[in-house]
Amino acid sequence: MTVLAIIAKKRDGLALDAEEIRFLVTAYVEGTIPDYQMSAWLMAVYLRGMDARETAAFTQVMLDSGERIDLTDISGRKIDKHSTGGVGDKVSLILAPLMAAAGVKVPMISGRSLGHTGGTLDKLESIPGFKTELTPAAFHDQVRDLGVAMIGQNERLVPADKRIYALRDSTATVASIPLITASILSKKLAEGIDGLVMDIKCGRGAFMTEISRAEALAQSIIHTAALHSLPTVAVITDMNQPLGYAAGNWLEVREVLQALQGRGPEDLMQVTYALGVQMLLLAGFEGSTREAVNLLQNTISSGRAMTRFQQLVRAQGGDVQSLQEPGSCAAARIQQHLRAGRSGFVTGIDALKIGEAVVRLGGGRKALGDQIDPAVGVLLGKKTGDQVDKGEILAVIHANQTSAAREALEMVRSAFTIEAAPAPKGKSILRIIKG
Ligand code: URA
């Protein structure tokens, strides 16, 4: 078996057997295969795909690259949620403490920004001091004591995904159904959970731009999870415009704080509650959907979700004071206002262009190992469906470099479509698929 033969086999569109996939991935994690060969293989998979058997084998190898956390001694069902990636998608930061405060245990292993999409770890790390690396034992204890822990892949937990994820990000090989399936499920299966809710993003700012592709990804994840006896529900949600108003790490944390104070934007809360309801059902909640939403809303209005978020931040080394005075922290030097050139109705805000503007500002990565600037981003003033008068603020660009601010402003300008007549407001929740 040689690496070259395995790459060539996939390049030619043939199915790999489990041993070939194991050989390649294990060697890559051990450092005996260079990035350029792994990149070639990833591109071959991206172009040629993988069948269900190969996807399952790849997921298993990724999972086996590290330890699995055993949470069986902790009472109650452990349920997690994961998103396939979007722009302004800060749902995990709201949902994890919210569910924990509602009594569901949430052990969460997340990822960093991929392409134009944001990453939960980068958002969390914009909170001064917040550590997303915990040992498996510390992760276990925090889930037991606090009901929630949020970490990333590391040398002990799914190291294969840690390395391959970063490589995919810099080789344009993210938007592949088998690669996304294995990446997500290897992390989720390592957590020791009893149920998973997937947020499958669909639209301009998602990796799946067509509903048929989003459904295929949902089925791939549900099928592969079922092979590991992991009950999984997929919720397909809209990602044509950014979720909420904020895109960019610290700006998004600020919006999370508003959401936990009961002032979250409508689309953000619709997605949060839709996913939360499915998490409650997987955890054994026996009431109706309405009752589940009421429970979640009460958990926010009582302040319990916010308290749990603060406890989570403190437990992972973050500065809780920064949450109390978010305006005093990580402010960008430059704020440029984008104003409407005409009156009318906003009929679209291209999430891909907003995500790319955030990357241009330094809020995402262009190359492996790039540092993220937590302060930069785009704060929308209008959402799709809103009426706008000429000269009104459409968005504020938060930047630390003049040239990046100028370019991002033009990118954000081109993301907005304003027309004389309103377009129907799209739905946030497109489909719910149960395994
Ligand atoms: N999230 C992940 O964890 N992996 C992917 O490949 C895409 C989104």
Side-chain angles (χ1 to χ4, degrees):
M1 204 181 300
T2 68
V3 175
L4 216 54
I6 295 171
I7 298 171
K9 192 169 170 186
K10 186 41 70 186
R11 178 202 64 200
D12 296 341
L14 301 172
L16 298 172
D17 56 45
E19 287 69 41
E20 289 168 321
I21 296 172
R22 184 169 294 277
F23 173 79
L24 185 85
V25 174
T26 309
Y28 182 61
V29 175
E30 284 168 356
T32 53
I33 291 183
D35 284 349
Y36 59 81
Q37 284 191 311
M38 196 62 184
S39 304
W41 182 75
L42 288 170
M43 186 56 81
V45 172
Y46 180 92
L47 295 172
R48 294 299 201 161
M50 273 181 165
D51 63 24
R53 201 187 39 76
E54 291 174 286
T55 306
F58 184 37
T59 306
Q60 185 68 52
V61 177
M62 299 262 278
L63 177 62
D64 292 345
S65 71
E67 295 172 34
R68 285 182 82 154
I69 295 167
D70 183 358
L71 300 177
T72 47
D73 64 318
I74 300 176
S75 64
R77 289 200 204 150
K78 296 101 210 166
I79 312 293
D80 194 10
K81 163 265 169 187
H82 197 88
S83 161
T84 55
V87 179
D89 181 6
K90 69 276 298 170
V91 171
S92 289
L93 275 71
I94 306 167
L95 200 53
L98 169 60
M99 299 313 295
V104 179
K105 302 274 183 338
V106 186
M108 189 178 277
I109 304 181
S110 302
R112 298 195 173 278
S113 68
L114 269 182
H116 65 279
T117 68
T120 296
L121 298 180
D122 298 316
K123 296 178 219 265
L124 287 170
E125 287 176 359
S126 73
I127 302 170
F130 195 102
K131 287 180 191 53
T132 55
E133 281 242 0
L134 293 181
T135 62
F139 182 77
H140 167 282
D141 292 354
Q142 191 175 310
V143 173
R144 182 194 59 206
D145 300 341
L146 200 58
V148 56
M150 299 178 81
I151 61 167
Q153 326 93 314
N154 57 44
E155 288 316 313
R156 290 177 66 181
L157 292 170
V158 266
D161 185 55
K162 184 177 164 74
R163 295 204 59 194
I164 294 173
Y165 192 90
L167 194 59
R168 283 167 60 212
D169 194 25
S170 47
T171 53
T173 53
V174 174
S176 148
I177 290 177
L179 296 181
I180 295 176
T181 301
S183 164
I184 291 176
L185 283 181
S186 58
K187 288 192 281 289
K188 302 293 109 176
L189 292 165
E191 294 169 347
I193 48 175
D194 304 305
L196 172 65
V197 176
M198 279 305 309
D199 182 0
I200 311 273
K201 296 283 180 211
C202 177
R204 282 285 299 161
F207 296 120
M208 302 294 119
T209 50
E210 309 291 329
I211 190 79
S212 58
R213 292 267 298 158
E215 283 173 342
L217 177 57
Q219 294 298 356
S220 169
I221 293 175
I222 288 172
H223 174 80
T224 312
L227 298 176
H228 292 266
S229 308
L230 178 65
T232 299
V233 176
V235 182
I236 303 182
T237 66
D238 179 68
M239 187 30 73
N240 280 305
Q241 66 171 332
L243 194 57
Y245 288 84
N249 296 291
W250 182 247
L251 294 174
E252 292 192 47
V253 170
R254 294 184 67 171
E255 196 165 66
V256 165
L257 296 173
Q258 287 166 7
L260 291 171
Q261 287 160 354
R263 298 186 287 114
E266 191 185 343
D267 59 343
L268 176 61
M269 297 321 290
Q270 278 174 357
V271 172
T272 302
Y273 290 139
L275 297 166
V277 166
Q278 297 306 324
M279 290 177 81
L280 280 175
L281 294 175
L282 283 173
F285 182 81
E286 285 177 350
S288 65
T289 301
R290 188 63 253 166
E291 287 166 336
V293 172
N294 283 345
L295 171 65
L296 298 175
Q297 284 174 334
N298 290 340
T299 309
I300 288 188
S301 60
S302 65
R304 284 185 293 126
M306 175 65 100
T307 303
R308 194 60 62 101
F309 182 61
Q310 290 167 344
Q311 290 168 335
L312 167 74
V313 169
R314 189 175 296 112
Q316 294 193 216
D319 174 11
V320 179
Q321 193 58 33
S322 70
L323 305 180
Q324 259 116 37
E325 293 161 27
S328 65
C329 190
R333 254 182 339 103
I334 305 165
Q335 297 190 5
Q336 280 205 351
H337 293 177
L338 171 67
R339 293 182 186 277
R342 57 175 287 195
S343 297
F345 292 85
V346 178
T347 55
I349 307 171
D350 186 329
L352 173 61
K353 289 185 178 165
I354 302 288
E356 286 173 346
V358 175
V359 174
R360 175 66 192 93
L361 290 165
R365 291 182 185 78
K366 287 190 235 28
L368 236 161
D370 274 0
Q371 286 298 311
I372 296 266
D373 183 342
V376 300
V378 177
L379 198 55
L380 300 177
K382 296 284 176 188
K383 294 276 289 183
T384 302
D386 286 351
Q387 191 165 7
V388 61
D389 290 330
K390 184 173 176 187
E392 260 195 288
I393 294 174
L394 293 176
V396 181
I397 316 300
H398 292 246
N400 274 325
Q401 286 170 351
T402 318
S403 57
R406 209 177 309 118
E407 274 180 49
L409 187 83
E410 290 317 312
M411 292 163 90
V412 176
R413 191 193 307 282
S414 72
F416 272 86
T417 309
I418 298 177
E419 290 177 286
K425 229 178 174 175
K427 285 192 192 154
S428 299
I429 312 300
L430 305 177
R431 301 255 198 299
I432 298 180
I433 305 174
K434 300 205 174 188

